[in-house]
């Protein structure tokens, strides 16, 4: 897609509009919806757990990982400051993180669906992670996401003010 976009005349468009243009031009896709299928069932629960900080410690690729030890150190510091820290991980990662969490001041959760994860994030105060995917979900649910990448060149191109979303 990047190569194709570089071949197009420069036009000020939102990224979603670029995707629509690409899908139509390259694949002939005309039937497009921006609806993601996720709904916010309880808007009144927004940040009802303001002291809860959700940490998503993994990423789609290894070069985006901040080390587990740094996330654990951060969680311990936030807990000492009075925050309720909750790690969210995929089911396949849950057992290892739950073992790490024993005798620690934080909890570990995994969810059966994006909807359930989104609801949990929506009710939390903040989200910290090193991959943009969960940050987009948090933004859709009006949470305050922050990403701390290991290599800004990989994931922060075009992001204003560095990497804070």
């Amino acid at each position: 897609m990047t190569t194709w976009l570089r071949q197009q005349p420069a036009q000020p468009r939102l990224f979603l509009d670029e995707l629509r243009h690409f899908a139509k031009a390259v694949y002939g896709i005309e039937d497009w919806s921006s609806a993601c299928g996720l709904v916010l069932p309880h808007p009144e629960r927004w940040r009802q757990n303001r002291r809860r900080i959700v940490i998503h410690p993994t990423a789609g690729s290894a070069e985006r990982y901040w080390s587990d030890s740094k996330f654990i150190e951060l969680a311990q510091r936030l807990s000492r400051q009075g925050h309720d820290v909750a790690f969210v991980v995929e089911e396949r990662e849950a057992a290892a993180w739950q073992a790490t969490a024993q005798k620690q001041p934080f909890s570990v959760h995994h969810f059966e669906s994006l909807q359930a994860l989104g609801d949990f994030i929506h009710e939390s105060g903040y989200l910290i992670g090193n991959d943009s995917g969960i940050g987009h979900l948090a933004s859709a649910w009006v949470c305050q996401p922050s990403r701390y990448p290991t290599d800004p060149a990989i994931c922060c191109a075009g992001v204003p003010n560095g990497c804070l979303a």
Side-chain angles (χ1 to χ4, degrees), residues 38-58:
L38 299 173
V39 295
L40 184 59
H42 301 287
E44 73 278 4
R45 293 184 186 171
W46 178 62
R47 295 189 79 199
Q48 75 177 10
N49 296 310
R50 290 179 185 271
R51 301 294 298 169
R52 181 168 62 205
I53 298 176
V54 176
I55 296 179
H56 184 256
T58 61

Side-chain angles (χ1 to χ4, degrees), residues 7-157:
Q7 296 169 351
Q8 305 307 305
Q11 295 181 0
R13 290 188 225 187
L14 297 175
F15 183 66
L16 185 57
D17 293 330
E18 291 288 358
L19 288 175
R20 284 186 182 136
H21 185 64
F22 173 77
K24 182 177 180 181
V26 175
Y27 297 109
I29 298 171
E30 302 223 13
D31 185 23
W32 184 283
S33 172
S34 58
C36 67
L38 299 173
V39 295
L40 184 59
H42 301 287
E44 73 278 4
R45 293 184 186 171
W46 178 62
R47 295 189 79 199
Q48 75 177 10
N49 296 310
R50 290 179 185 271
R51 301 294 298 169
R52 181 168 62 205
I53 298 176
V54 176
I55 296 179
H56 184 256
T58 61
S61 58
E63 64 268 8
R64 292 185 179 182
Y65 272 54
W66 206 38
S67 72
D68 295 353
S69 61
K70 288 181 183 178
F71 276 118
I72 291 167
E73 182 182 331
L74 175 62
Q76 291 168 338
R77 185 173 354 144
L78 292 170
S79 293
R80 283 192 302 272
Q81 293 173 357
H83 295 282
D84 175 21
V85 179
F87 280 75
V88 294
V89 295
E90 292 184 33
E91 184 176 8
R92 63 183 167 81
E93 303 161 332
W97 277 97
Q98 287 167 341
T100 300
Q102 288 186 357
K103 299 182 182 178
Q104 292 287 345
F106 53 81
S107 58
V108 176
H109 307 267
H110 72 87
F111 296 90
E112 297 298 319
S113 68
L114 272 178
Q115 181 71 52
L117 173 60
D119 293 344
F120 186 78
I121 292 169
H122 174 73
E123 295 174 4
S124 301
Y126 298 91
L127 168 72
I128 299 171
N130 57 9
D131 198 29
S132 64
I134 197 163
H136 295 303
L137 180 62
S139 294
W141 261 261
V142 195
C143 180
Q144 301 295 320
S146 294
R147 290 184 300 142
Y148 298 99
T150 54
D151 184 353
I154 293 173
C155 65
C156 293

